[in-house]
Amino acid sequence: MKRIYNKWLKGGLLGLLAVFAFASCSDDHFDLNTSNASGTLWENLVATPGTANFAKILEKTIVNKKSYGVPATISYKDLLNSSRVFTVWAPKDGTYDEEKWLKLLEEGKNELVEKQFVRNHIACFNYNGAYATSEKLQLYNQKYAVYDAANNKFMGVDISDGEYKNIASVNGTLHLLEGEAPYSPSLRELIEITPETSDLCQYILDKDTLEFRESWSTPGSTVNGQIQYVDSYFVESNKILPYVAMNEDSLSAAIIPSNTAWQEAIDKISPFYNYKETYVYYDDDAAKYVTDTIKADSLQELYTKEVIFDNMFYSLREQRGFDYTTADVNTVKNFFETADSLVSTAYYYSSRTGHQHAPDCRVLTEGKTPLKGSNGYAFITDHFNFKANKAWQYDIIVEAEYTSYYNQRLSKYYLPEGGLVYHSVTDGNRNDSVKGRVRNNAYIEYVPVNASSKQTVAYDLPSVLSGTYDIYVVIVPENMTDPSNKNPKCNQFKATLQYDLDSKGKASTIKSDKTFKSDPSKVDTILLFENFKFPYCYDHIRNSYPVLSLQVVRSVAEFKTVTTTMYIDCFILKGKDE
């Protein structure tokens, strides 16, 4: 999530107002008031009866540029007195709690007053009410509001009629309201203002960043060898929040953990990211074992909390079977309790879409009624109800044809040239007598040095977590693309799993306690290791992997029924919920 900000340096008030004059709010495609206009917005505000308290709040509220890198030097009195074009909807005295906002200013909460009250009554451009229309417009705090000039309402609040209706000014229009315009917090703001989510809120705040963009900034004079920027641009971003959490154009739902659920999530997820301090791998170029040292605790915390956020936000426009145009508290609540699948923002463009499936979906929100925000709906849950194999410990599929994971060093007795043969299965060459389908319509044939050699095929296993898996291999019959072969031989083999290398290259090893034999009449999925728990996490670790090896087993008596040429579609690690 990124937002672009502009800060102004040097030149004092006149320089600031000059920059304001050229900002986007001065675009002239909205009709400005001409013949009937006199005075600035500020001058008309202080001259209009019943707006004294609103004017007092605006005069005390600073145009807050703290986050841009410099303290602000102008108030909203100065802003509305400039040439920059605005529309102001001013609530009349006595129709709202003026003292609340003035007290907050006295307490130093300028930013809160500015965003939730002042900017909530101001919009860029001139909306003079001359046309009997209803339109959705963006306010100065980036929120969206409905200005219904046809029915004389702003965000559902009546606009005053009579002598002081639609007051034309040289830099915009002033409207009087019969009450305060309601403020609707975004999904991020709901987290910030909800006491039960304070732990999550603090973690988010710690991830806010501000980056200066020199190429987008306007340099001024050079003082003591340092460029003084007249117009400086910064990009504010958050390293963990997705764009939809703050973007007012979004329409999303969020499953937000309370402080209790936040700690439950950490306790439940962190064991799957149990990193070691050192990982050893064999460097083929250096022809030796190499040790990498990592910050295990830091990585565990990082990826544990990343999982929480990956499963927190759900764009309603992306949910299959949900009509986002009908979104309200009730339709969103019902959908999350009855959905066949949910797709979080982290998985729009991956094979993991639909990672939450019925009946698991309904337990996620605990039957809660969501809070309505400006850009979506928030379920604040008491517990963390996600399951490992539906939310972070996904099935791992290693396609044999993706030979980047083929471990050449540990594979043995295959032809050095032409030992790996790629096969593509098409409608034209598929043997219809074979049951089952080949993933991606491709597999690899591993050709041994000679017919009697008992080769070993080894593959690295990527992205493995320190969790429990069932481990499979999918074997393809030798006549998958050869219908003329009426008596196909089977593959027969043992399996070995190696992991956790020490500095001398010695690995922890587990061997299958039986010999496996494939069924040559079908694409055969064979369980090699059941409920195997990896003690350490390998996800996001460069070069270090567990290795799965298959060793051909064949006796002399089995020459006619067992082939030493292997045919592999893929390897599958199926995550188990714990």
Side-chain angles (χ1 to χ4, degrees):
M1 180 279 299
K2 291 187 175 180
R3 291 180 292 168
I4 299 174
Y5 289 107
N6 175 255
K7 80 170 183 181
W8 296 268
L9 298 176
K10 307 295 179 184
L13 177 59
L14 290 178
L16 286 166
L17 295 180
V19 174
F20 280 133
F22 290 99
S24 61
C25 285
S26 63
D27 288 0
D28 59 6
H29 61 278
F30 288 81
D31 295 336
L32 294 181
N33 305 311
T34 53
S35 60
N36 64 334
S38 64
T40 65
L41 283 165
W42 177 256
E43 291 169 341
N44 286 323
L45 179 66
V46 296
T48 300
T51 62
N53 289 328
F54 186 67
K56 185 188 297 185
I57 294 171
L58 264 58
E59 189 171 11
K60 291 178 177 291
T61 304
I62 301 301
V63 179
N64 188 355
K65 300 297 174 186
K66 277 193 310 186
S67 59
Y68 299 22
V70 293
T73 55
I74 67 171
S75 71
Y76 278 85
K77 168 187 173 180
D78 302 312
L79 188 59
L80 298 184
N81 223 8
S82 72
S83 59
R84 194 171 182 180
V85 178
F86 294 102
T87 301
V88 177
W89 290 267
K92 291 166 63 175
D93 294 348
T95 64
Y96 67 102
D97 188 357
E98 305 97 336
E99 292 302 319
K100 165 190 168 183
W101 300 108
L102 289 169
K103 183 179 180 181
L104 287 170
L105 287 171
E106 291 175 1
E107 294 172 352
K109 297 178 180 179
N110 184 94
E111 187 174 353
L112 184 151
V113 175
E114 179 187 28
K115 184 171 187 178
Q116 295 189 13
F117 181 72
V118 174
R119 292 193 175 206
N120 206 48
H121 292 85
I122 299 175
C124 288
F125 310 124
N126 184 41
Y127 299 92
N128 57 24
Y131 307 101
T133 59
S134 179
E135 57 186 315
K136 184 179 180 180
L137 54 87
Q138 191 167 32
L139 299 174
Y140 202 34
N141 59 5
Q142 307 305 311
K143 302 290 181 182
Y144 284 90
V146 174
Y147 172 38
D148 186 359
N151 293 295
N152 224 28
K153 290 182 181 293
F154 174 71
M155 298 177 69
V157 180
D158 289 336
I159 298 174
S160 297
D161 211 340
E163 181 182 357
Y164 298 105
K165 179 182 179 181
N166 305 341
I167 302 172
S169 306
V170 295
N171 59 343
T173 300
L174 172 64
H175 306 282
L176 301 188
L177 292 181
E178 298 294 338
E180 179 181 334
Y183 179 82
S184 182
S186 67
L187 291 175
R188 171 170 178 164
E189 290 169 323
L190 283 172
I191 295 172
E192 292 174 349
I193 65 177
T194 303
E196 293 81 10
T197 59
S198 58
D199 292 346
L200 171 62
C201 175
Q202 188 57 56
Y203 185 75
I204 292 171
L205 290 173
D206 291 343
K207 299 300 178 181
D208 283 336
T209 62
L210 193 69
E211 178 185 355
F212 173 61
R213 293 292 176 88
E214 183 177 5
S215 61
W216 294 1
S217 303
T218 304
S221 59
T222 301
V223 179
N224 297 326
Q226 298 293 321
I227 298 176
Q228 307 298 302
Y229 288 90
V230 176
D231 189 3
S232 301
Y233 282 87
F234 287 78
V235 174
E236 185 182 39
S237 62
N238 187 278
K239 296 179 180 178
I240 194 72
L241 275 181
Y243 181 67
V244 298
M246 294 185 64
N247 178 31
E248 294 292 342
D249 278 331
S250 299
L251 181 62
S252 303
I255 301 174
I256 298 172
S258 66
N259 291 341
T260 298
W262 172 255
Q263 190 58 53
E264 285 181 0
I266 293 171
D267 294 342
K268 186 172 184 178
I269 298 167
S270 59
F272 291 83
Y273 292 90
N274 181 36
Y275 289 98
K276 301 192 299 176
E277 294 292 338
T278 59
Y279 284 82
V280 177
Y281 67 95
Y282 187 81
D283 187 324
D284 290 318
D285 294 330
K288 65 178 183 179
Y289 289 97
V290 176
T291 301
D292 282 345
T293 301
I294 66 167
K295 296 180 178 179
D297 291 343
S298 296
L299 284 182
Q300 183 179 47
E301 179 186 7
L302 172 65
Y303 294 120
T304 292
K305 292 177 178 176
E306 185 177 278
V307 164
I308 301 174
F309 283 90
D310 282 349
N311 292 280
M312 192 177 298
F313 295 93
Y314 300 79
S315 171
L316 295 176
R317 290 181 170 89
E318 299 291 339
Q319 303 310 310
R320 291 187 285 271
F322 182 74
D323 181 0
Y324 70 89
T325 64
T326 67
D328 62 23
V329 168
N330 292 324
T331 60
V332 171
K333 180 179 187 293
N334 181 68
F335 177 75
F336 272 73
E337 291 177 353
T338 61
D340 289 332
S341 64
L342 297 173
V343 185
S344 77
T345 54
Y347 305 121
Y348 288 164
Y349 306 110
S350 81
S351 60
R352 298 171 180 172
T353 54
H355 64 290
Q356 295 292 338
H357 295 281
D360 302 307
C361 298
R362 69 171 180 266
V363 305
L364 301 179
T365 58
E366 302 174 338
K368 302 277 189 179
T369 297
L371 303 175
K372 188 180 186 307
S374 60
N375 60 349
Y377 303 82
F379 297 92
I380 310 295
T381 60
D382 298 326
H383 300 284
F384 185 76
N385 303 299
F386 291 86
K387 292 186 176 181
N389 60 352
K390 296 291 180 66
W392 63 90
Q393 191 195 10
Y394 296 101
D395 295 348
I396 299 169
I397 299 176
V398 182
E399 300 286 355
E401 65 269 22
Y402 298 164
T403 54
S404 58
Y405 292 113
Y406 178 69
N407 192 311
Q408 184 172 346
R409 186 175 63 85
L410 295 182
S411 297
K412 299 177 181 178
Y413 306 120
Y414 60 91
L415 283 176
E417 297 294 333
L420 276 67
V421 181
Y422 177 89
H423 288 276
S424 178
V425 181
T426 67
D427 291 337
N429 66 13
R430 178 181 289 107
N431 184 350
D432 292 333
S433 68
V434 175
K435 301 173 185 176
R437 309 282 294 186
V438 174
R439 285 181 54 86
N440 297 332
N441 291 317
Y443 63 95
I444 293 293
E445 174 186 353
Y446 304 83
V447 183
V449 172
N450 55 60
S452 61
S453 63
K454 298 176 182 178
Q455 65 170 326
T456 296
V457 175
Y459 269 77
D460 296 334
L461 304 177
S463 305
V464 172
L465 304 184
S466 47
T468 302
Y469 297 86
D470 288 342
I471 304 174
Y472 300 83
V473 65
V474 180
I475 301 294
V476 181
E478 66 174 356
N479 66 342
M480 186 73 206
T481 58
D482 182 14
S484 66
N485 183 352
K486 304 299 183 182
N487 297 295
K489 298 177 181 179
C490 69
N491 281 139
Q492 188 169 268
F493 52 90
K494 287 183 175 292
T496 301
L497 187 61
Q498 296 174 284
Y499 57 95
D500 191 21
L501 288 176
D502 64 19
S503 59
K504 296 182 181 180
K506 183 178 180 180
S508 297
T509 302
I510 178 173
K511 296 179 179 290
S512 59
D513 56 4
K514 70 175 186 177
T515 299
F516 302 99
K517 180 179 290 189
S518 67
D519 182 344
S521 70
K522 66 179 184 180
V523 178
D524 198 5
T525 301
I526 300 173
L527 177 61
L528 305 177
F529 299 99
E530 185 175 12
N531 292 324
F532 180 80
K533 184 176 179 63
F534 288 93
Y536 300 109
C537 178
Y538 293 84
D539 195 24
H540 303 286
I541 297 298
R542 183 175 58 91
N543 299 321
S544 295
Y545 309 93
V547 180
L548 179 61
S549 302
L550 305 182
Q551 301 84 33
V552 170
V553 175
R554 187 178 70 166
S555 66
V556 174
E558 295 172 319
F559 271 33
K560 292 184 178 181
T561 58
V562 177
T563 176
T564 57
T565 300
M566 298 203 72
Y567 305 85
I568 300 177
D569 177 12
C570 64
F571 301 90
I572 301 173
L573 282 73
K574 191 171 184 60
K576 307 293 287 290
D577 186 52
E578 299 180 37

